[in-house]
Amino acid sequence: MNQSASAPGALAGIKVLDLSRVLAGPWCTQILADLGADVIKIERPGVGDDTRTWGPPFLKDAEGNDTPEASYFTACNRNKRSVTIDMSTPDGQALLRRMAAESDILVENFKTGGLEQYGLDHASLRAANPRLVYCSITGFGHDGPHAHRAGYDLMIQATSGMMSITGRPDQEPGGGPLRVGVALTDLFTGVYASTAILAALEVRHRTGEGQHIDMALLDVGMAILANQASAFLNTGVAPSRQGNSHPSLAPYQDFKTSDGSMLLAIGNNGQFARFCDAAGHPEWAADPRFASNTLRVRHRQILIAQMEEVTRTRGTAEWIGLLEDKAVPCGPINDIAQAFDDPQVKARGLAVSMPRDAGDGIREIVGVASPLRLKGNPPVLRNAPPALGQHTDEVLAEMGIGEEARAALRAAGVL
């Protein structure tokens, strides 16, 4: 991820009005911002996005002391400009309608019908700007019996069945349904939403018309069940939790070593045979019970028990050193600190430092680089995650709103 641009961003010239908060919407708009779009994030005066207070942990100031700003917010709001506007006021609504009329994209994640009272729903804004690509993100979509429910990632992981296939079986120690360690459906919804927006922009190139995009966390949660959903839909049997093992591959799971654990991800017969040779048990590959992946899955308990006796005889690093040059997929099970210390992570520059000077004592924010590696138009770090309202005067001045008018709006509590 570049600190300075040698070429314009892929979405340079695209204006995004971001009315979203928390994670799914901001993740979507951060992707667009990383690609060069000018994203204006609208926040409540004095309060801001909910995630600004979702701590601990909190950001540190230059002296190493906690600030009031949670690190959560910084994960999904870089490259944006923060503007504070109270949309409950007539003047705030008028400002936002004016901004929408000049935007290419609007992203919001209010409840179904929640923006109609402000005149900021799709139908109202389309009248003034028919080219607007308007993306709504909700928990359950704009129709159906649950359309008016609020939706949070944890609820969707539970409702979609994701938690039913995550964790160890009930009969094992620590068994029971678990959520994934990050807000998976929020993040995937953000990625799907950005893809839908880019598709709608391409349609606009051909037709001159924008459109409304209805993104639902539930829809995404069901979609990313992927092979597990396909298994149920085509057999009628609901998959169950089985820890770190794979329902359709073996051996494909964690294994105890003499000093910890390692992961084996063997996906074909050649890889299995090479593992067996390296482990000193070539007879496993010749065993008719293990001759194919399907047979290995069928006889999983026997095979895994034999393998674990052997994997416990060496340390994790020794196993990885032994197997890597034999093209056997394997690796350590890192914590996040170990992951960022990995030489490949460092070589790819995946931790990026973003300086910020907003007068709040925070001098630097560190984040994860965009994985979108466009060679001709790579993502560029333009702005660190902003302080609340950091760019309000800047953006309104660009709209032709003078200093006196801004002072009056601020005095009235609009900004």
Side-chain angles (χ1 to χ4, degrees), residues 155-223:
M155 294 170 56
I156 303 302
Q157 287 200 35
T159 302
S160 68
M162 179 67 71
M163 289 177 64
S164 77
I165 56 171
T166 305
R168 297 193 176 278
D170 289 334
Q171 64 271 22
E172 292 186 8
L178 289 174
R179 70 175 181 89
V180 179
V182 295
L184 192 70
T185 49
D186 273 342
L187 297 172
F188 264 97
T189 300
V191 174
Y192 273 109
S194 67
T195 303
I197 287 168
L198 295 178
L201 284 179
E202 179 60 26
V203 173
R204 193 181 75 174
H205 291 329
R206 300 197 299 267
T207 67
E209 296 287 324
Q211 60 183 284
H212 188 204
I213 298 169
D214 173 9
M215 295 296 308
L217 269 67
L218 179 64
D219 297 357
V220 173
M222 301 298 291

Side-chain angles (χ1 to χ4, degrees), residues 256-262 310-322:
K256 293 292 186 183
T257 64
S258 64
D259 59 0
S261 298
M262 70 168 176
V310 175
T311 61
R312 291 176 183 271
T313 64
R314 292 185 173 95
T316 299
E318 187 178 359
W319 273 115
I320 293 170
L322 177 67

Side-chain angles (χ1 to χ4, degrees), residues 310-384:
V310 175
T311 61
R312 291 176 183 271
T313 64
R314 292 185 173 95
T316 299
E318 187 178 359
W319 273 115
I320 293 170
L322 177 67
L323 297 174
E324 272 192 325
D325 66 350
K326 297 176 177 61
V328 177
C330 63
I333 302 175
N334 290 330
D335 62 26
I336 292 177
Q338 291 168 325
F340 276 106
D341 195 45
D342 185 281
Q344 183 66 17
V345 171
K346 291 181 176 180
R348 296 286 286 179
L350 295 180
V352 291
S353 174
M354 298 169 282
R356 188 175 91 178
D357 185 10
D360 57 1
I362 298 171
R363 296 288 179 263
E364 177 189 55
I365 298 173
V366 184
V368 183
S370 170
L372 302 172
R373 305 278 175 133
L374 285 74
K375 294 297 184 182
N377 304 88
V380 177
L381 285 174
R382 302 187 309 281
N383 301 310

